Amino acid sequence: MKFRHQNFSSSRAMVCALLVLSLTVLFVRLGAAIPADVPAKPVHGIAVDHIDRSVQPGDDFYHYANGAWIKKTVIPPDRAAVGVFTALSDLTNKRTAALIEEAANAKAPAGSSTAKIADLYNSYMDEAGIEAKGLKPLKPHLDAIAAIKDKHELAHALGETLRADVDALNNTHFHTPNLFGLWVAPGFNDSEHYAAYLLQGGIELPDREYYLSDAASMRDARTKYVAHVAAMLKLAGFTDIDARAKRIFDLEHAIAEKHTTLADNDDIHKANNTWTQADFNAKAPGLEWAEYFRGAGLSQQKEFTVWQPTAFSAESALVASEPLETWKDWLAYHMIEDHADALPKALSDESFAFFGKTLSGTPQRRPRWQRGVFVVDRWLGDAVGKIYAERYFPPEAKAKGQEMVANITAAFRKRIEALDWMAPATKAEAQAKLSALYVGIGYPEHWHDYSAFEVKAGDMFGNLWRGRLFEYHREVGRLGTQVDRKEWSMSPQTVNAVNLPLQNALNFPAAILQPPFFDPKAPAAVNYGAIGTVIGHEISHTFDSEGSAFDSQGRVRNWWTESDLEHFNAATAKLAAQYDTYKPFPDLSINGKQTLAENIADVAGIAASYDGYRASLGGKPAPEQQGFTTDQQLFLAFAQDYGSKMRDAALRAQVMGDSHSPGQYRADTVRNIDAWYSAFNVKPGQKLYLAPPDRVRIW
Ligand SMILES: [Zn+2]
C-alpha cells in the first residue's frame, strides 16, 4: 500500500499508499499530478512561516502547523490540489524533464533506451502530427468493434482489452475501465511464484459511488457524464449519440451496482478465491470464458485469484443479458476515452473538460511538456529512473536513509516486545517478519528491460497502445515464475513510498528522500517527524489488519491468536469511529472503515518514529531550534507533510474513492499520541483533546 498523500504525485499512488487508485486514473488522465510552484522550505528545518499562531495547537493542529501557508496559497488553475511538499514534486519533475530533453537531443542509436525516451516524448509533443492523423489511428480498432457479429466474438474482443492496469495491495489501484483487470503478484497460497489476480472493472467514473450516490454533486456529475459520452461519440463520428450515451451509462450503472465497495476490497480473505477456468463457467455464467481467455492470451493459465466473485458473476451475466449493440457501443466509447490523450485536440480537450474540470474542478490543463514528462514516466519509468538515481541520489543519502530505517525498525521491535496484549508466539512471528523485511532505499537492485517495447517516432497513438500491451505481456510472462522479493513497484523519481505485503518489502524512492521530507542538514527531530513517520507508516502496514494476514515470507497465514485479533479489532474499531466523526462536507463524512488501515499506519508511524528519534539521541539533550523544542519540531514536521489545498470536487473524490484520509485529519491524528499533549500543553476542553483512555494505542 502506498503511503502517500493525496493526489499530488505523478503516479496516482503515493506513499504507501500515499495515493489512490481511482484518483490515479482521474489525475493521470488529466495530467493533474504535477504540483504547483510553491517556494521550498526556506531553511533546514520546519517551515516556521507556514504556522498560524492565531490557532491553538490543541484546537486544530493542522491549521496551526499549516494555516499561514494555506491562507496565502492559491491553487493554480491547472491543478486540482497543491501541498506544502509541492516544491519537491516540482523539482523532481523539472529534473526529469531535463533528463528527457537531454535524451531527446542525444541522437542515441535506434532501439536504445535513450532513443525510446526521446521518441516517446517527441511523439507526444508533436501536436501537429497528431492533429494531421485525425481519427485514422483509432479507425481500425473501431472497425473491429463494429464487425463483432455475436456474443462469441464479443467475448474474444473483451478478452483482448485485458491489461495489467490494476494493483490490489501495493499501489492499491482498483479501477480499470476494461471489463476486468489483471494484477500479477506473488500468490496468496504460493508466495514463491507469481499468480494471476483478476479484479472487477468496466466503469469509466472513478468509483461505484459516482453512479449510486444520492448526493446532489454526484447526480450532477452523472448528468454531465452522459452528455460527455455523447460528445466523445460525436467527435469520433458516431450518429444517434444521445441514445447510445444513455445505453452506455445504463450499462455502467448496472455494473457499478454489483461492484464491491472500496472498503470491502481491502479484505484479502474475501479476495482469496481460486478459480479454475471451469469455475468461471460454473460460478459466473454468461460470458464465454474460454473465448475471453483466448482473446486475453491466457488460455494456458489454469488458475486465477478472483478478487470480487460477486462482481464477476454479475458482470458476466450482463454480457449475456444486455444487447450486443449496447456492448459494442460501450467498447467503442471506452476505446475512444482511454486513448483521448493520443488523439486530436478536440477529443483530448473534451476528455479533460469532463474528467479534469467537472470531476476534479481543475480549470486548466497542465502545460503539454509536463504531460509529456508524465507519459514518459508512465511507460519508460525505469529507463528515466536509472539516470535520475545516478544523478540525484548520492550514496550519503542512501546511507542516511538506511540508518533512519534501522532506528525506526528497532523502535518497532521494542514496541512489539512491550505489548501486553500480544501472545509470545505472535510476537516471535512479528519479529521474524521485521528480520526478513526487505527495505529498498532510493532505487531498485535491477531495472526493467524495455527492449521488447517498440517506440516509434511520430506515432503517439501506437506508442500508447504498444506501451499498454508491452506491460501486459511482461506481466503475463511472469506468471508461474519464481518471485523476486527485491522487485520494486515504484520508479525512483516517484514522490511516494510503498509497502509490498506479498513480498514483505518496502520501497522508498529517491524522490521522496529529499527536502522537505528528508534533509541531511535539518535537525534530526525534523527528519524523524517528516520522513521518519512515513517510514514508520510503511513498517506498520507489515503488522496491520492486512499485514497480519501475511507472514515473514509473504505467505497468507494467520499468525495471530484469537485474543490478539480481538484486541486489535477493538482498538482499531475505536479509531474507525474517531474518523467517522470527521465531516469535510455537511453531506459527506470520512469513512472510518475505508480509511482504517491508513489511519492505523499514521498513528503507528508517529509512535515508532518518535521512539526512534528519542533512541537516536542516545541520552544526549537536544537543543531548541527555531524557537521550538525538539518534540514540537517533530510533530510540526509531521503535520506539515500533510499541509494541502484541494478543490472541493477533488476533495470529494478523495473522500469517496481513496483509502487515505484527507491531509487535515491525518495531521490531527497526533491527538492519539501522549507526547503531543505535553509538547504543546494541550488541555481538556480543547477541540482535539482526548482523555487518555480515549486515545487509540495499537502498537
Ligand atoms: Zn499506507
Side-chain angles (χ1 to χ4, degrees):
M1 308 180 89
K2 287 170 300 173
F3 146 75
R4 191 25 181 190
H5 311 9
Q6 297 95 337
N7 4 331
F8 308 120
S9 75
S10 57
S11 81
R12 281 182 249 165
M14 203 145 153
V15 192
C16 159
L18 291 192
L19 282 213
V20 183
L21 188 44
S22 53
L23 288 179
T24 303
V25 171
L26 200 65
F27 291 101
V28 167
R29 176 178 280 156
L30 306 178
I34 294 185
D37 286 321
V38 177
K41 282 188 183 180
V43 290
H44 302 290
I46 53 167
V48 175
D49 59 331
H50 291 185
I51 294 172
D52 182 351
R53 293 178 198 267
S54 71
V55 177
Q56 288 299 311
D59 281 334
D60 182 346
F61 193 60
Y62 173 77
H63 282 97
Y64 171 71
N66 299 293
W69 177 84
I70 291 171
K71 277 182 195 159
K72 71 179 182 207
T73 297
V74 176
I75 305 174
D78 60 353
R79 316 260 170 136
V82 288
V84 298
F85 62 91
T86 284
L88 169 56
S89 299
D90 284 349
L91 175 67
T92 304
N93 284 318
K94 277 183 190 146
R95 286 171 168 176
T96 309
L99 296 179
I100 292 170
E101 199 175 325
E102 271 177 42
N105 294 329
K107 311 243 182 303
S112 64
S113 287
T114 306
K116 287 179 189 191
I117 291 171
D119 287 344
L120 183 58
Y121 183 73
N122 288 334
S123 68
Y124 186 80
M125 295 306 288
D126 180 18
E127 289 182 84
I130 292 172
E131 216 58 37
K133 284 189 175 176
L135 296 171
K136 225 181 292 166
L138 197 56
K139 186 148 191 314
H141 301 289
L142 292 180
D143 287 350
I145 293 168
I148 295 171
K149 286 194 309 291
D150 53 31
K151 293 284 174 83
H152 181 77
E153 291 186 3
L154 174 66
H156 191 90
L158 289 168
E160 285 181 333
T161 66
L162 186 64
R163 293 293 180 270
D165 56 358
V166 288
D167 171 345
L169 293 176
N170 298 339
N171 291 295
T172 50
H173 290 184
F174 281 101
H175 181 272
T176 172
N178 300 322
L179 191 64
F180 305 118
L182 175 73
W183 181 48
V184 174
F188 273 159
N189 310 305
D190 170 9
S191 65
E192 297 296 315
H193 297 96
Y194 288 107
Y197 295 83
L198 287 178
L199 275 65
Q200 70 189 12
I203 57 177
E204 286 283 352
L205 296 179
D207 182 73
R208 71 195 294 273
E209 286 302 306
Y210 281 79
Y211 297 85
L212 308 176
S213 163
D214 276 336
S217 63
M218 290 297 103
R219 286 201 304 267
D220 181 52
R222 288 198 282 275
T223 307
K224 289 177 174 154
Y225 178 54
V226 177
H228 163 70
V229 175
M232 291 297 276
L233 291 172
K234 186 173 182 198
L235 289 167
F238 282 76
T239 56
D240 197 18
I241 52 170
D242 292 325
R244 286 181 201 261
K246 174 77 169 60
R247 289 196 296 267
I248 291 164
F249 175 80
D250 288 346
L251 177 56
E252 290 192 3
H253 185 277
I255 292 171
E257 277 187 311
K258 303 298 183 181
H259 265 198
T260 297
T261 64
L262 211 57
D264 276 343
N265 279 338
D266 271 351
D267 187 339
I268 69 118
H269 299 291
K270 288 182 184 164
N272 192 1
N273 312 288
T274 305
W275 286 15
T276 62
Q277 294 213 9
D279 287 331
F280 283 88
N281 292 321
K283 296 175 179 177
L287 177 62
E288 284 186 39
W289 286 102
E291 203 50 38
Y292 177 86
F293 287 124
R294 196 167 297 130
L298 287 170
S299 293
Q300 304 306 314
Q301 180 65 23
K302 292 195 172 67
E303 290 183 345
F304 297 85
T305 299
V306 176
W307 205 271
Q308 306 103 339
T310 52
F312 275 72
S313 302
E315 294 195 53
S316 177
L318 285 167
V319 174
S321 66
E322 297 308 302
L324 180 66
E325 291 310 312
T326 302
W327 278 106
K328 287 166 69 170
D329 287 340
W330 174 93
L331 269 174
Y333 163 62
H334 283 223
M335 173 68 63
I336 300 160
E337 188 72 75
D338 301 341
H339 295 87
D341 206 25
L343 289 168
K345 189 168 183 300
L347 285 131
S348 171
D349 282 354
E350 170 58 34
S351 185
F352 177 79
F354 179 74
F355 286 98
K357 286 186 193 162
T358 303
L359 280 199
S360 72
T362 311
Q364 258 178 38
R365 292 194 96 165
R366 294 297 182 95
R368 192 155 187 105
W369 70 266
Q370 285 187 8
R371 288 186 275 140
V373 171
F374 293 150
V375 167
V376 177
D377 261 350
R378 174 67 189 82
W379 302 109
L380 291 166
D382 269 22
V384 176
K386 185 165 186 289
I387 312 172
Y388 184 94
E390 282 164 5
R391 201 163 302 180
Y392 296 113
F393 197 64
E396 308 86 78
K398 185 155 183 150
K400 186 94 187 159
Q402 283 167 330
E403 179 195 316
M404 285 186 73
V405 169
N407 284 339
I408 295 166
T409 307
F412 250 107
R413 279 195 189 287
K414 287 198 185 127
R415 282 192 162 258
I416 289 167
E417 216 36 66
L419 291 176
D420 53 10
W421 54 269
M422 191 177 253
T426 318
K427 287 183 181 177
E429 291 267 13
Q431 301 288 12
K433 228 183 147 174
L434 272 183
S435 300
L437 185 69
Y438 164 70
V439 182
I441 300 281
Y443 50 88
E445 330 268 324
H446 34 249
W447 303 93
H448 283 166
D449 173 7
Y450 294 100
S451 48
F453 176 23
E454 191 190 3
V455 180
K456 286 188 193 164
D459 182 17
M460 187 54 218
F461 185 97
N463 290 336
L464 176 58
W465 182 266
R466 286 185 296 272
R468 286 179 176 151
L469 264 186
F470 164 74
E471 278 198 355
Y472 178 70
H473 290 144
R474 182 179 67 205
E475 294 302 309
V476 168
R478 297 203 301 162
L479 288 170
T481 64
Q482 189 74 28
V483 165
D484 172 10
R485 294 197 190 290
K486 295 183 176 175
E487 169 86 17
W488 276 50
S489 86
M490 261 175 196
S491 68
Q493 65 275 30
T494 307
V495 184
N496 210 328
V498 67
N499 179 309
L500 315 170
L502 287 160
Q503 295 169 222
N504 193 24
L506 311 178
N507 299 164
F508 294 96
I512 199 170
L513 296 169
Q514 302 183 76
F517 283 105
F518 175 63
D519 179 358
K521 293 188 182 138
V526 174
N527 280 326
Y528 277 88
I531 191 73
T533 54
V534 175
I535 294 169
H537 173 115
E538 295 305 329
I539 294 176
S540 147
H541 280 310
T542 307
F543 306 111
D544 65 12
S545 46
E546 209 163 79
S548 64
F550 304 95
D551 72 9
S552 62
Q553 301 308 306
R555 289 175 295 230
V556 174
R557 188 165 65 80
N558 193 356
W559 44 275
W560 288 30
T561 65
E562 282 292 313
S563 73
D564 294 334
L565 195 63
E566 262 170 45
H567 173 94
F568 186 80
N569 286 342
T572 59
K574 236 164 84 176
L575 192 63
Q578 193 182 99
Y579 275 77
D580 278 338
T581 65
Y582 297 141
K583 285 176 90 74
F585 298 98
D587 63 344
L588 187 64
S589 303
I590 302 294
N591 182 333
K593 188 179 171 220
Q594 176 182 306
T595 55
L596 183 58
E598 296 307 326
N599 298 334
I600 293 169
D602 284 341
V603 177
I606 314 171
S609 188
Y610 181 82
D611 289 359
Y613 170 64
R614 304 300 312 177
S616 78
L617 292 175
K620 288 184 289 238
E624 262 190 22
Q625 298 221 22
Q626 301 173 280
F628 293 93
T629 68
T630 51
D631 279 12
Q632 287 175 334
Q633 291 174 60
L634 188 144
F635 289 114
L636 279 165
F638 167 74
Q640 289 186 341
D641 278 357
Y642 296 102
S644 62
K645 259 187 131 151
M646 286 178 95
R647 298 185 190 281
D648 281 357
L651 182 56
R652 272 185 186 275
Q654 186 187 358
V655 172
M656 287 192 297
D658 202 318
S659 54
H660 301 86
S661 302
Q664 174 175 353
Y665 309 107
R666 296 185 74 170
D668 284 347
T669 206
V670 292
R671 65 196 300 215
N672 293 299
I673 308 287
D674 294 338
W676 173 74
Y677 287 81
S678 42
F680 290 95
N681 196 24
V682 177
K683 297 286 186 230
Q686 294 196 288
K687 289 186 186 122
L688 290 175
Y689 179 85
L690 291 170
D694 295 331
R695 297 171 199 165
V696 177
R697 301 160 208 277
I698 297 158
W699 299 110

